[in-house]
Amino acid sequence: MKNWLRQDLWRHVIGIAVCLFSLFPLYLVVISSFNANGSLQLTSFIPTEISIANYKLLFNNPTIPYLTWVKNSLIIASSVAVLSVMIGTASAFAFSRLKFKGRKFGIQLLLLVQMFPAILAISAVYVIMERVYNFAPAIGLGTRPGLLLVYLGGAMGVNIWLLKGFVDSIPAELDEAAKIDGASEVQTFWLIFVPLASPVLAVVALLSFIGTFNEFILARLFLVDMQNRTVAVGLQQFIGGQYSQNWGPFAAGSILASIPIVIIFLSLQKYIVSGLTAGSVKG
Amino acid sequence: MNYLIRGKIALVLKIIVVSLISAVLLMLTQSAFAQREYVIAGFLAICVLALALTYLTKISIPLKFFIPGILLLTAFVVGPILYTVAMSGFNYKTGNIISKEEAIVQIKVRGIEASPDGTAFDVKLGNSGTEPAILVSDITNLKYFISTEKTRTEVGAKEVTLTANGVAVAAPNFVALTDVQLSGADKSYSNYRFTYDGNYFIALEGIETGVVSRQILKYDAASDSFINLVDGSKYRDNGRGNYALSNDKAAILEPGWRAPIWFENYTKILTDPRVRGPLIRVFIWTVAFALLTVLTTFALGLLLALALNKPIRGRRIYRSILVLPYAMPSVMSILIWGGMFNTEFGAINTLFGTHIAWFSDPNFARLAVILVNLWLGFPYFYLISSGSLQAIPSELQEAAAIDGANPRQIFRKITLPLLLQILSPLLIASFAFNFNNFNLIYLLTGGGPRNELDGQIAGATDILISYTYKIAFGTGTQDLGLASAISLIIFLLVASISLYSLRKSKVLETFA
């Protein structure tokens, strides 16, 4: 036995075992997506026949607007990501760099507010948006802009908190220098701070994007109309029925929707991990 | 880029953007006001004012940064939280959803009794002049009349147009509703009392039948009570959202309305064994679930981080595969796992040759929940543990090795304590997250399995948040008041856990 193998054998055993654990469900989804009979059974590890019927169904069946769902998810998630980071960064910057009365109180209030489990306020949000629908049908309950607004409000607390952690870690010397040179706060923010922080902001935007993409319950409550659904809600209906579970199209749709997210995630892994820890490890 | 921020162009741009947004908000304010949504209209008006004051004057520089965030937070987070606090003080549940005014109208509509001989006629809905009216056909006696809320006009048999069944469908001075109108008018017509004879009137049952009825519940505005005209009994406002008899508290009129009951929902949680019992069981499982999840995910993640902490062959490949569960959209993963645990066809039973009813047995269901959460969560701890392992200065470990410590001792006495110190805020954050991991429970087990016999809605894998969701939105009785009260208790729990951990990690001190 080669020396490196003997020394590191236990490392490889653990590595391979856990890799199998993480791959198993994913492998199962992939073979189910190519299986025409629509089940999620493990009949054999190597598929006997490969069919692309499930993929065809997603694109050719007019009653399943899969592309529209994907488009809805992408539009909603990216709008939430961009807007919430823009608005959140401004607040985080002010908390971190500006001196004003009530700053400490504001931060503590924000901390408290973002701890309220969003799911629990769902009934209140529902009632409010139902009322908004009565006078402004374009942004009320059941519409994509309405859901976007709700997401945006909900993302605010966490994002300002997370972004504040980042902003604190960016050295203040540069914007202090700008201030000495006579720049106003607003100029410092736009001309010095935002360009400096843009890589970090991109990471938070990405986390926000993934979080919104994964949101299920609000999207399900809010978007009743088939054309308005997000991809998670749309696909869930294939398997939601107690007796009519059709895993084939669900598997195919999930894979297609996940691929871009997985690729983005893997390529930006390093930054995302630092982003996940920065908010809390700091201090 | 500078010209966008400074100078005349910037000023003009700013004014245009602020006015556009204000114009839209003003329009919304106006239509909200027109629909009598005064609270929303008021909030929108404040938004317009705040935007204009902040961006067009020099009232406060920090506000320029805060205003958009503050307004959004107020509308969709603080507002709903306050609404939840308010709801928790109300008797707001199935049967007590509407306002008192609406309840009075509905009790009046329902408080009728069919005549003793059960006379019913075929009717056609329409209008007579400007009044809503029905064209009534008394088929047995071949008599026809048009009835409004005020008058009843006989129509001769020769003047009406009959269908094959002998039902009148057209008559002079009567315009029948079209099918489109019919679908919209159904609700209002069923509230009308069409004139018949003396105390008796015709009330609609569906859209083709009118039943001769009389009012037996009469509202007396002076004493705010309903009087039963048959036996004279009096139903008074019981202060808890219902009209009830004074000598028989259980005899209430449906529907009720949402009435303030102050702290009763909270005292119910503390004292009513039917509420308290399941809640304590659910709470214990919630804590156990969150603890077990943190322990298992951290243990596996750390094990991997240690195993792959050396540049062994294929480390990059391992790493890419290991983060896949974390990179997959979790909604999809959870649903897929749900299918894998199916008793008959599920891949888990097939793989191990077992026949376990995973989601029907409480303990197997709990095991499944933990296992799936392990799959979802270990990559996170693997990633942050391996990052933190590299952050621990190697001098410490080398010094211990020189002093004669074996690798095991080094890990237990040096590496692990340091690691725990670095990661403790994240472990606590993970606990708090899983404490409220609604998606996992809702999508995987739906909180089940549930004991059908004891009539409780709490299932074996229900955590506080999914249980609360069921109380508020589940099938059967929905109790928004109670759910709101439980929500606030959960909030207090999570907030105190987080504040305690933050104080420990000294983040709060940096606020000063």
Side-chain angles (χ1 to χ4, degrees), chain B residues 56-93:
Chain B
L56 302 180
T57 70
K58 292 194 170 163
I59 192 166
S60 153
I61 285 168
L63 268 188
K64 288 187 195 226
F65 291 91
F66 280 125
I67 273 296
I70 288 179
L71 293 181
L72 274 173
L73 262 178
T74 313
F76 295 107
V77 182
V78 179
I81 290 177
L82 294 178
Y83 193 89
T84 309
V85 174
M87 272 200 295
S88 77
F90 277 80
N91 181 18
Y92 198 163
K93 59 179 184 223

Short mmCIF file of all heavy atoms in Angstrom, two decimals, chain B residues 56-93:
data_model
loop_
_atom_site.label_atom_id
_atom_site.label_comp_id
_atom_site.label_asym_id
_atom_site.label_seq_id
_atom_site.Cartn_x
_atom_site.Cartn_y
_atom_site.Cartn_z
N LEU B 56 -36.12 66.85 0.20
CA LEU B 56 -36.18 68.19 -0.39
C LEU B 56 -35.78 69.27 0.61
O LEU B 56 -35.64 70.42 0.25
CB LEU B 56 -37.58 68.46 -0.95
CG LEU B 56 -38.04 67.46 -2.02
CD1 LEU B 56 -39.43 67.78 -2.52
CD2 LEU B 56 -37.06 67.40 -3.18
N THR B 57 -35.60 68.90 1.87
CA THR B 57 -35.10 69.88 2.83
C THR B 57 -33.83 69.31 3.47
O THR B 57 -33.44 68.19 3.19
CB THR B 57 -36.12 70.16 3.94
OG1 THR B 57 -36.20 68.99 4.76
CG2 THR B 57 -37.49 70.48 3.40
N LYS B 58 -33.22 70.11 4.35
CA LYS B 58 -32.00 69.62 5.00
C LYS B 58 -32.27 69.29 6.45
O LYS B 58 -31.47 69.56 7.33
CB LYS B 58 -30.90 70.69 4.87
CG LYS B 58 -30.48 70.83 3.44
CD LYS B 58 -29.20 71.60 3.30
CE LYS B 58 -28.71 71.48 1.86
NZ LYS B 58 -27.72 72.45 1.49
N ILE B 59 -33.41 68.66 6.69
CA ILE B 59 -33.86 68.47 8.07
C ILE B 59 -32.93 67.53 8.84
O ILE B 59 -32.59 67.77 9.98
CB ILE B 59 -35.33 67.99 8.06
CG1 ILE B 59 -35.94 68.06 9.46
CG2 ILE B 59 -35.48 66.59 7.52
CD1 ILE B 59 -37.45 67.94 9.44
N SER B 60 -32.49 66.45 8.20
CA SER B 60 -31.59 65.52 8.89
C SER B 60 -30.85 64.68 7.87
O SER B 60 -31.45 64.09 6.96
CB SER B 60 -32.41 64.62 9.83
OG SER B 60 -31.75 63.39 10.01
N ILE B 61 -29.54 64.62 8.00
CA ILE B 61 -28.77 63.82 7.05
C ILE B 61 -28.93 62.31 7.26
O ILE B 61 -29.16 61.58 6.30
CB ILE B 61 -27.30 64.26 7.06
CG1 ILE B 61 -27.21 65.60 6.33
CG2 ILE B 61 -26.41 63.25 6.34
CD1 ILE B 61 -25.91 66.30 6.50
N PRO B 62 -28.84 61.81 8.51
CA PRO B 62 -29.03 60.35 8.67
C PRO B 62 -30.35 59.86 8.09
O PRO B 62 -30.42 58.78 7.53
CB PRO B 62 -28.98 60.16 10.19
CG PRO B 62 -28.17 61.28 10.69
CD PRO B 62 -28.47 62.44 9.78
N LEU B 63 -31.41 60.66 8.21
CA LEU B 63 -32.71 60.23 7.70
C LEU B 63 -32.67 59.96 6.20
O LEU B 63 -33.39 59.12 5.69
CB LEU B 63 -33.78 61.28 8.01
CG LEU B 63 -34.56 61.09 9.32
CD1 LEU B 63 -35.70 62.08 9.36
CD2 LEU B 63 -35.09 59.67 9.45
N LYS B 64 -31.83 60.71 5.47
CA LYS B 64 -31.72 60.48 4.02
C LYS B 64 -31.32 59.04 3.75
O LYS B 64 -31.66 58.46 2.73
CB LYS B 64 -30.68 61.41 3.41
CG LYS B 64 -31.15 62.83 3.36
CD LYS B 64 -30.17 63.69 2.61
CE LYS B 64 -30.47 65.15 2.88
NZ LYS B 64 -30.50 66.02 1.78
N PHE B 65 -30.54 58.48 4.65
CA PHE B 65 -30.11 57.09 4.47
C PHE B 65 -31.15 56.10 4.99
O PHE B 65 -31.26 55.00 4.51
CB PHE B 65 -28.79 56.86 5.23
CG PHE B 65 -27.61 57.57 4.64
CD1 PHE B 65 -27.27 58.84 5.05
CD2 PHE B 65 -26.87 56.96 3.64
CE1 PHE B 65 -26.19 59.50 4.50
CE2 PHE B 65 -25.79 57.61 3.09
CZ PHE B 65 -25.44 58.88 3.52
N PHE B 66 -31.88 56.54 6.01
CA PHE B 66 -32.76 55.60 6.70
C PHE B 66 -34.16 55.49 6.12
O PHE B 66 -34.79 54.44 6.22
CB PHE B 66 -32.90 55.99 8.17
CG PHE B 66 -31.74 55.56 9.01
CD1 PHE B 66 -31.04 56.45 9.79
CD2 PHE B 66 -31.37 54.22 9.04
CE1 PHE B 66 -29.98 56.04 10.56
CE2 PHE B 66 -30.32 53.80 9.81
CZ PHE B 66 -29.62 54.71 10.56
N ILE B 67 -34.68 56.60 5.56
CA ILE B 67 -36.11 56.66 5.27
C ILE B 67 -36.66 55.46 4.47
O ILE B 67 -37.64 54.85 4.90
CB ILE B 67 -36.48 58.02 4.64
CG1 ILE B 67 -36.77 59.03 5.75
CG2 ILE B 67 -37.67 57.94 3.72
CD1 ILE B 67 -37.97 58.69 6.61
N PRO B 68 -36.03 55.07 3.35
CA PRO B 68 -36.63 53.94 2.61
C PRO B 68 -36.70 52.68 3.47
O PRO B 68 -37.74 52.00 3.50
CB PRO B 68 -35.68 53.73 1.43
CG PRO B 68 -34.88 54.99 1.33
CD PRO B 68 -34.81 55.57 2.69
N GLY B 69 -35.63 52.39 4.18
CA GLY B 69 -35.62 51.21 5.04
C GLY B 69 -36.65 51.28 6.14
O GLY B 69 -37.39 50.33 6.39
N ILE B 70 -36.74 52.45 6.78
CA ILE B 70 -37.68 52.61 7.89
C ILE B 70 -39.11 52.41 7.40
O ILE B 70 -39.90 51.69 8.01
CB ILE B 70 -37.55 54.01 8.53
CG1 ILE B 70 -36.24 54.09 9.32
CG2 ILE B 70 -38.73 54.31 9.44
CD1 ILE B 70 -36.01 55.44 9.96
N LEU B 71 -39.44 53.02 6.25
CA LEU B 71 -40.82 52.93 5.76
C LEU B 71 -41.18 51.49 5.43
O LEU B 71 -42.26 51.00 5.78
CB LEU B 71 -41.02 53.84 4.54
CG LEU B 71 -40.91 55.34 4.83
CD1 LEU B 71 -41.15 56.15 3.57
CD2 LEU B 71 -41.88 55.77 5.93
N LEU B 72 -40.26 50.77 4.76
CA LEU B 72 -40.54 49.37 4.41
C LEU B 72 -40.68 48.52 5.66
O LEU B 72 -41.58 47.69 5.77
CB LEU B 72 -39.42 48.82 3.54
CG LEU B 72 -39.54 49.08 2.05
CD1 LEU B 72 -38.29 48.64 1.33
CD2 LEU B 72 -40.74 48.30 1.49
N LEU B 73 -39.75 48.72 6.61
CA LEU B 73 -39.81 47.95 7.85
C LEU B 73 -41.13 48.20 8.59
O LEU B 73 -41.74 47.27 9.10
CB LEU B 73 -38.65 48.34 8.77
CG LEU B 73 -37.41 47.46 8.76
CD1 LEU B 73 -36.37 48.05 9.68
CD2 LEU B 73 -37.75 46.05 9.20
N THR B 74 -41.52 49.47 8.62
CA THR B 74 -42.76 49.80 9.32
C THR B 74 -43.95 49.13 8.66
O THR B 74 -44.79 48.54 9.32
CB THR B 74 -42.98 51.33 9.34
OG1 THR B 74 -41.75 51.93 9.71
CG2 THR B 74 -44.06 51.72 10.30
N ALA B 75 -43.99 49.20 7.34
CA ALA B 75 -45.16 48.68 6.63
C ALA B 75 -45.27 47.16 6.75
O ALA B 75 -46.35 46.63 6.97
CB ALA B 75 -45.11 49.09 5.16
N PHE B 76 -44.16 46.46 6.60
CA PHE B 76 -44.28 45.01 6.45
C PHE B 76 -43.71 44.20 7.60
O PHE B 76 -43.82 42.98 7.61
CB PHE B 76 -43.63 44.57 5.14
CG PHE B 76 -44.34 45.12 3.95
CD1 PHE B 76 -43.79 46.14 3.21
CD2 PHE B 76 -45.58 44.65 3.59
CE1 PHE B 76 -44.45 46.67 2.13
CE2 PHE B 76 -46.26 45.17 2.52
CZ PHE B 76 -45.69 46.19 1.78
N VAL B 77 -43.07 44.86 8.56
CA VAL B 77 -42.57 44.10 9.71
C VAL B 77 -43.16 44.65 11.01
O VAL B 77 -43.86 43.95 11.73
CB VAL B 77 -41.03 44.11 9.77
CG1 VAL B 77 -40.55 43.29 10.94
CG2 VAL B 77 -40.46 43.56 8.47
N VAL B 78 -42.91 45.94 11.28
CA VAL B 78 -43.39 46.50 12.55
C VAL B 78 -44.92 46.54 12.57
O VAL B 78 -45.54 46.12 13.56
CB VAL B 78 -42.80 47.91 12.78
CG1 VAL B 78 -43.31 48.49 14.08
CG2 VAL B 78 -41.28 47.84 12.80
N GLY B 79 -45.51 46.97 11.46
CA GLY B 79 -46.97 47.01 11.38
C GLY B 79 -47.59 45.65 11.68
O GLY B 79 -48.42 45.53 12.59
N PRO B 80 -47.19 44.61 10.93
CA PRO B 80 -47.74 43.28 11.21
C PRO B 80 -47.47 42.79 12.63
O PRO B 80 -48.31 42.12 13.21
CB PRO B 80 -47.04 42.39 10.18
CG PRO B 80 -46.75 43.29 9.05
CD PRO B 80 -46.45 44.62 9.66
N ILE B 81 -46.31 43.15 13.20
CA ILE B 81 -46.03 42.71 14.57
C ILE B 81 -47.05 43.37 15.52
O ILE B 81 -47.64 42.71 16.37
CB ILE B 81 -44.59 43.07 15.00
CG1 ILE B 81 -43.58 42.19 14.24
CG2 ILE B 81 -44.41 42.85 16.50
CD1 ILE B 81 -42.14 42.52 14.53
N LEU B 82 -47.26 44.67 15.33
CA LEU B 82 -48.22 45.37 16.19
C LEU B 82 -49.61 44.80 16.01
O LEU B 82 -50.36 44.62 16.97
CB LEU B 82 -48.22 46.88 15.89
CG LEU B 82 -46.91 47.60 16.24
CD1 LEU B 82 -47.01 49.07 15.87
CD2 LEU B 82 -46.62 47.45 17.73
N TYR B 83 -49.94 44.49 14.77
CA TYR B 83 -51.25 43.89 14.48
C TYR B 83 -51.39 42.56 15.21
O TYR B 83 -52.44 42.24 15.76
CB TYR B 83 -51.37 43.70 12.96
CG TYR B 83 -52.76 43.39 12.48
CD1 TYR B 83 -53.63 44.41 12.15
CD2 TYR B 83 -53.20 42.08 12.34
CE1 TYR B 83 -54.90 44.14 11.71
CE2 TYR B 83 -54.47 41.79 11.89
CZ TYR B 83 -55.32 42.84 11.58
OH TYR B 83 -56.58 42.56 11.13
N THR B 84 -50.27 41.77 15.21
CA THR B 84 -50.29 40.49 15.91
C THR B 84 -50.49 40.70 17.41
O THR B 84 -51.27 39.98 18.04
CB THR B 84 -48.96 39.74 15.67
OG1 THR B 84 -48.72 39.71 14.27
CG2 THR B 84 -49.01 38.34 16.20
N VAL B 85 -49.81 41.71 17.95
CA VAL B 85 -49.98 42.01 19.38
C VAL B 85 -51.45 42.34 19.66
O VAL B 85 -52.04 41.83 20.61
CB VAL B 85 -49.08 43.20 19.79
CG1 VAL B 85 -49.37 43.61 21.22
CG2 VAL B 85 -47.62 42.84 19.63
N ALA B 86 -52.03 43.16 18.78
CA ALA B 86 -53.42 43.54 18.98
C ALA B 86 -54.33 42.32 18.89
O ALA B 86 -55.21 42.11 19.73
CB ALA B 86 -53.82 44.59 17.94
N MET B 87 -54.10 41.48 17.87
CA MET B 87 -54.96 40.30 17.68
C MET B 87 -54.92 39.38 18.89
O MET B 87 -55.90 38.71 19.20
CB MET B 87 -54.50 39.52 16.44
CG MET B 87 -55.13 40.00 15.16
SD MET B 87 -55.02 38.73 13.90
CE MET B 87 -53.27 38.63 13.64
N SER B 88 -53.76 39.33 19.57
CA SER B 88 -53.64 38.41 20.69
C SER B 88 -54.56 38.80 21.84
O SER B 88 -54.80 38.01 22.74
CB SER B 88 -52.19 38.33 21.17
OG SER B 88 -51.87 39.48 21.93
N GLY B 89 -55.06 40.02 21.83
CA GLY B 89 -55.98 40.45 22.87
C GLY B 89 -57.44 40.26 22.49
O GLY B 89 -58.33 40.70 23.20
N PHE B 90 -57.67 39.64 21.32
CA PHE B 90 -59.04 39.52 20.83
C PHE B 90 -59.50 38.06 20.77
O PHE B 90 -58.69 37.14 20.68
CB PHE B 90 -59.15 40.13 19.43
CG PHE B 90 -59.34 41.61 19.45
CD1 PHE B 90 -58.27 42.46 19.62
CD2 PHE B 90 -60.60 42.15 19.30
CE1 PHE B 90 -58.44 43.82 19.66
CE2 PHE B 90 -60.79 43.52 19.33
CZ PHE B 90 -59.71 44.36 19.50
N ASN B 91 -60.79 37.92 20.84
CA ASN B 91 -61.43 36.63 20.64
C ASN B 91 -61.61 36.47 19.13
O ASN B 91 -62.68 36.66 18.61
CB ASN B 91 -62.78 36.68 21.35
CG ASN B 91 -63.51 35.38 21.23
OD1 ASN B 91 -62.92 34.37 20.92
ND2 ASN B 91 -64.81 35.42 21.47
N TYR B 92 -60.50 36.16 18.43
CA TYR B 92 -60.48 36.23 16.98
C TYR B 92 -60.31 34.83 16.44
O TYR B 92 -59.22 34.35 16.21
CB TYR B 92 -59.30 37.12 16.56
CG TYR B 92 -59.32 37.66 15.16
CD1 TYR B 92 -58.51 38.73 14.79
CD2 TYR B 92 -60.15 37.12 14.19
CE1 TYR B 92 -58.52 39.25 13.51
CE2 TYR B 92 -60.16 37.63 12.92
CZ TYR B 92 -59.35 38.69 12.58
OH TYR B 92 -59.35 39.20 11.31
N LYS B 93 -61.42 34.13 16.28
CA LYS B 93 -61.33 32.74 15.81
C LYS B 93 -62.55 32.41 14.95
O LYS B 93 -63.46 33.22 14.82
CB LYS B 93 -61.25 31.80 17.00
CG LYS B 93 -62.42 31.90 17.94
CD LYS B 93 -62.27 30.91 19.06
CE LYS B 93 -63.48 30.92 19.94
NZ LYS B 93 -63.14 30.88 21.36
#
